[in-house]
Each structure stands twice: as C-alpha cells, then as structure tokens.
Amino acid sequence: MTRRPDADDIEDFGRFSEPALLILVSLAEGPKHGYAITEDIAVFADVRFGPGSLYGAIARLEARRLIEPLASEDRRNPYRLTARGETVLKARLASMAAVTRIGQRRLARA
Amino acid sequence: MTWFLKLYPPRWRRRYGAELADLVAAQPFSIGAAVDLVAGAIDAWLNPQLAPPTSETKGNVMSIARVMQLKCAGYGPAVTPEDKARNVRVNLGGTLVLAATYLAMVWIWKRNQLTGDDYLLSLAPMTYLIPYLIGLRYTSLKGRSSRAQTIFIVGFSIVLTVFMLAVTWVATKI
C-alpha cells in the first residue's frame, strides 16, 4: 500500500518522525510546554524522548506551521496544534488505522 | 547538563535555548540524555529548522535577513547543481588522494616494522570523513562565514581523529 505524498507529511522528518507524531497527538488534547509534552507522551505512549530529540521535532513541526507557540510570561513556551497540524494528524492517524485494520484482519485469518 | 546547550547554534539557542534549558534542568543527568543533546546539537547545525517569521516580525529587516540566511544555509534553492557536483568531486577526489596517502604510510610503516600501526589503521575512516566534511561547505555549511566553516570542518576533523586514536588506545589496554 502506497501512501499519498503530502507536502505537510511528517514522514520525511527522519528520526524525528516518531516524536513529531506523538507531539501532535499530545497537543491534540490542548496546549502544552516542552516538559508537559514529555510527561504526557511518557504516560500515553510509554516512551520518554530526550530533550534534543523533543526539540528537534518541535522545531521541525513549528517550521512547517503544524504547531505554533503561544505567548508566555515565563521561559516555558506552550505550543498548540494549528489547523494544518490537525489536518496532518488526522490523515496520519487514519492511515495508521487502515494499516492496523488490515494487519489485524490478516492475523485473524492466519 | 545545561552545558551541552552551548553546542547548539546561536540562532537556535536564541529561539529554543531557554525552553530546552528548563527541560534539561527538570531531568536528572543521564548518559542517554547527554548523547541525545549532542546529537540534537549536530542536527541543529546541519539542519537548522526555524519557523518562518510570524506577522509580528514581518517588516523586521533583521528577522527577514536571518531567515534568508538560514534558507541559504541548507539544501535549499541556493544550492546549485554545480555546488552538488563540486561536493561530489571533493568527496571522491579527497577520498582517493587520502586513501593513497594512507596506503603509502601503511606500506612504509609495516615494511620498517615500526610500532604504532594499530593507531594508523584506526585512522583509515578519516580518508572518507575529512573530504565529506569539506564537502559540507557546498551544502549544509553554505552561507556560513569562512571562519565558521573552517572552525566546523577543522574542529570536527580533530575531534574525530582524537576519538579514533583514543578508542585505539583503549583497545590496546584491554
């Protein structure tokens, strides 16, 4: 199955693809700063990314305008999902869900 | 562990430094986190990812100039086919020249039964790595000042050389 190429896809983030996807999922719940994102991902995905990986992914997502920083009085800048980010996340999750369904169906038949 | 943040490019630090410092300070020191920060710093130098100017910074000449400079720094539209061809020439030519030099040194040292051949062998990968680093002048390091390019290339070459010699030294001791 070939996925439709998308200019906003996060697949070409290389090793930052996985943290980028999980950051988008985390921000789908609401705005969070870096530390809160790390803790949230550790809870729902059981993965703890290092600070370099997390901000490498955040920088890429922000450069693509998939997330955006919110004004903050302290040093912690919260980020939120943009409309474009929401679209990309929905498309990515739908694609993953389709693969999951096919995989489970094939396993059930085996 | 916040010391590692100094490894990041100044522009990157200005944008994310404070946030990253807070995150690093909130975590206990670990080798894994330190390695992750070093890898992140290398990535930030090679692939600077900074957001384009927001509406607040539109019209700010300095900000626009910075973004233009960043666009010229990577594999952006400023990298011409000639630049890429030069990159390949430097990689292939440099590797061939250094490989020949390396083989000549091995031949001389082995023939005279000099000690230190283990250290010499450990430097074999440098025949590729040094031309690769020089080739970055035409791609990832394009647009940086000559001084910055020289510091990066020479500095990284020295670091890699010392690392390989150090690993060999350790290997001979165990």
Side-chain angles (χ1 to χ4, degrees):
Chain A
M1 187 170 71
T2 307
R3 292 199 312 111
R4 182 176 57 83
D6 188 330
D8 290 331
D9 204 340
I10 55 174
E11 195 59 37
D12 62 348
F13 281 16
R15 75 181 183 93
F16 295 98
S17 293
E18 189 191 355
L21 175 64
L22 295 177
I23 289 168
L24 292 179
V25 172
S26 177
L27 294 182
E29 186 187 46
K32 292 185 187 75
H33 51 69
Y35 182 74
I37 293 172
T38 306
E39 293 301 307
D40 185 40
I41 290 174
V43 170
F44 78 76
D46 199 21
V47 177
R48 188 174 287 278
F49 293 114
S53 296
L54 185 80
Y55 271 89
I58 285 178
R60 282 167 169 78
L61 289 168
E62 195 186 348
R64 301 273 185 102
R65 294 188 188 280
L66 301 181
I67 63 172
E68 63 187 3
L70 296 172
S72 172
E73 303 230 331
D74 62 12
R75 284 150 52 99
R76 293 177 172 185
N77 239 352
Y79 293 89
R80 75 173 166 204
L81 208 56
T82 63
R84 183 190 284 187
E86 199 175 321
T87 305
V88 168
L89 178 60
K90 280 179 182 168
R92 192 85 178 90
L93 292 178
S95 169
M96 291 170 72
V99 172
T100 304
R101 272 196 307 275
I102 292 169
Q104 285 175 336
R105 203 181 307 147
R106 289 181 179 178
L107 278 174
R109 260 188 267 148
Chain B
M1 205 158 58
T2 51
W3 180 88
F4 287 104
L5 303 187
K6 292 179 181 173
L7 299 175
Y8 281 77
R11 284 192 198 94
W12 205 96
R13 279 206 309 268
R14 276 195 291 274
R15 172 62 189 86
Y16 297 106
E19 296 175 45
L20 190 53
D22 270 359
L23 184 60
V24 168
Q27 297 181 343
F29 175 82
S30 72
I31 298 293
V35 170
D36 183 71
L37 281 171
V38 173
I42 293 170
D43 171 72
W45 278 104
L46 297 178
N47 305 294
Q49 304 276 338
L50 291 179
T54 62
S55 56
E56 287 175 10
T57 56
K58 274 178 185 168
N60 181 331
V61 175
M62 280 304 291
S63 297
I64 291 170
R66 278 178 191 165
V67 172
M68 291 299 291
Q69 198 175 350
L70 282 173
K71 279 187 176 175
C72 295
Y75 286 97
V79 177
T80 64
E82 176 55 28
D83 288 329
K84 290 178 182 174
R86 270 191 284 183
N87 182 16
V88 171
R89 282 201 297 273
V90 168
N91 270 285
L92 292 179
T95 302
L96 287 173
V97 169
L98 287 179
T101 307
Y102 166 73
L103 290 172
M105 289 169 71
V106 170
W107 183 73
I108 293 167
W109 282 29
K110 293 294 274 183
R111 197 179 65 156
N112 294 332
Q113 296 298 307
L114 293 178
T115 58
D117 52 347
D118 289 334
Y119 291 98
L120 192 60
L121 287 170
S122 74
L123 294 179
M126 296 307 294
T127 57
Y128 169 75
L129 290 173
I130 289 177
Y132 172 78
L133 289 171
I134 295 171
L136 294 179
R137 291 183 63 222
Y138 307 111
T139 54
S140 301
L141 294 177
K142 188 175 183 184
R144 308 280 179 195
S145 66
S146 297
R147 187 164 165 264
Q149 290 179 342
T150 304
I151 289 172
F152 184 91
I153 294 166
V154 174
F156 215 0
S157 299
I158 291 171
V159 167
L160 287 172
T161 301
V162 170
F163 175 77
M164 287 171 183
L165 291 174
V167 169
T168 307
W169 182 80
V170 170
T172 59
K173 300 293 176 192
I174 56 177

